[in-house]
Every structure is written in structure tokens, then in C-alpha cells.
Amino acid sequence: MKKRILIIALLVMCLPYYAFAIPATSLEKINVEILEKKLKLTLMANGDISDYLSFELTNPARLVIDFPFDKCKLPQVYQLKNKVYPRIRWGIFKGKLRVVVDCSLKRLPFYKIEIKVDLLLIFLQSVYIKVLLSKLSKVYPFLLLSKLLFHLV
């Protein structure tokens, strides 16, 4: 009997947390951090949030994230103190929760999304990398070569 308990305890400790994660049913909270030239949004759910779909839309530019659940405890429109990303809003679209990050630029700058079980981390650039590199290449000509070599633009 003690052997079985020991084996079960070892299995539970060795298996990663996400193997036992319960799928999320609601978006609970948002945390906004303004970093240097970036905006970091942390969306927190009440369970595993890994089943999402993200894409960009234009006219106007915006980032869209669809979740397979339909509950949200956030205000319908969440104002941000940011010129490039003025607000986050959400609604129900085709039975799913849709979160939209509005952008005031013509195109959505580079963004990155990371997932950590019940957290969705969204890193949004506040400026175009292309514009930034073109301005810097006037001051530092070697950046022109790096743009050609690494296809950064």
C-alpha cells in the first residue's frame, strides 16, 4: 500500500502542471505594463488559456484574439493610457469571446504572444521597427548592411 502511494505521489510531482490544467471558462483580469517602446498586456483566465486564435485586421489596424469561452469579468471597453494602443475591448462573436486591441497606426506594429497556462502575455511594439531602423541607419550607416543581410525590413 505504501508503495502505491509513493508511486502515485512521484507521478503527480513529475508530471507538468499543464497536464492537469482545467480549460478556462472566463477571462478574469488584465494587467497593463508600459515598457520602453512596448506595451505588455497580461490577460488572466480561470484555467488553461492555450486554446486561442489570434490575427490582425486592418482599416482600422487591430489585434484580435478569440477564446473558446464566452465569459469575461473585464469592463466591455478598457481604456489604455497609450497613444498607439488607445483601448482594449471585448464582445461575444459567434459564441466565443473576442478581445480586440485597437491600434491608431495604419498598420499594426510587431507583436509577440506568449502563453503560460492561465496567462496570455501580449507584447506590442509602439513604433514600426522599419521606421526606427531607417532613422538609425542615417546615423549609423552599418545598419544598412545589417538590414540587407538579415532582411529585417
Side-chain angles (χ1 to χ4, degrees):
M1 183 68 174
K2 287 184 179 181
K3 253 186 183 179
R4 286 184 186 169
I5 293 173
L6 181 62
I7 290 172
I8 291 171
L10 284 172
L11 282 174
V12 169
M13 289 178 6
C14 293
L15 290 176
Y17 171 74
Y18 59 84
F20 297 106
I22 298 169
T25 58
S26 171
L27 198 57
E28 302 285 315
K29 191 176 172 187
I30 186 167
N31 187 28
V32 179
E33 291 179 61
I34 298 172
L35 307 170
E36 185 179 322
K37 305 257 188 222
K38 286 184 198 172
L39 183 67
K40 178 183 173 188
L41 305 173
T42 305
L43 302 177
M44 295 166 238
N46 64 351
D48 183 14
I49 199 170
S50 62
D51 189 19
Y52 72 93
L53 174 67
S54 67
F55 54 95
E56 297 177 40
L57 291 176
T58 55
N59 287 338
R62 57 208 183 273
L63 173 64
V64 178
I65 304 165
D66 285 341
F67 296 100
F69 45 84
D70 63 357
K71 294 182 183 134
C72 186
K73 294 185 178 179
L74 302 174
Q76 193 93 25
V77 177
Y78 193 93
Q79 296 295 335
L80 302 174
K81 294 176 181 162
N82 189 292
K83 290 179 184 177
V84 177
Y85 305 102
R87 75 190 142 276
I88 300 171
R89 52 194 169 89
W90 67 269
I92 305 301
F93 182 75
K94 295 185 180 178
K96 297 181 179 184
L97 178 71
R98 175 167 281 184
V99 175
V100 178
V101 181
D102 291 322
C103 179
S104 61
L105 301 175
K106 289 182 183 179
R107 285 185 31 217
L108 192 67
F110 174 78
Y111 67 91
K112 182 173 123 181
I113 298 177
E114 293 179 9
I115 187 143
K116 297 192 178 181
V117 185
D118 62 343
L119 301 175
L120 194 71
L121 307 171
I122 307 165
F123 299 92
L124 298 151
Q125 291 285 349
S126 292
V127 295
Y128 290 119
I129 292 175
K130 185 175 182 177
V131 171
L132 188 62
L133 280 175
S134 65
K135 286 181 181 179
L136 286 173
S137 63
K138 291 175 185 173
V139 180
Y140 304 103
F142 67 89
L143 283 175
L144 287 172
L145 178 63
S146 69
K147 285 196 300 189
L148 293 172
L149 291 175
F150 297 108
H151 305 287
L152 291 174
V153 184

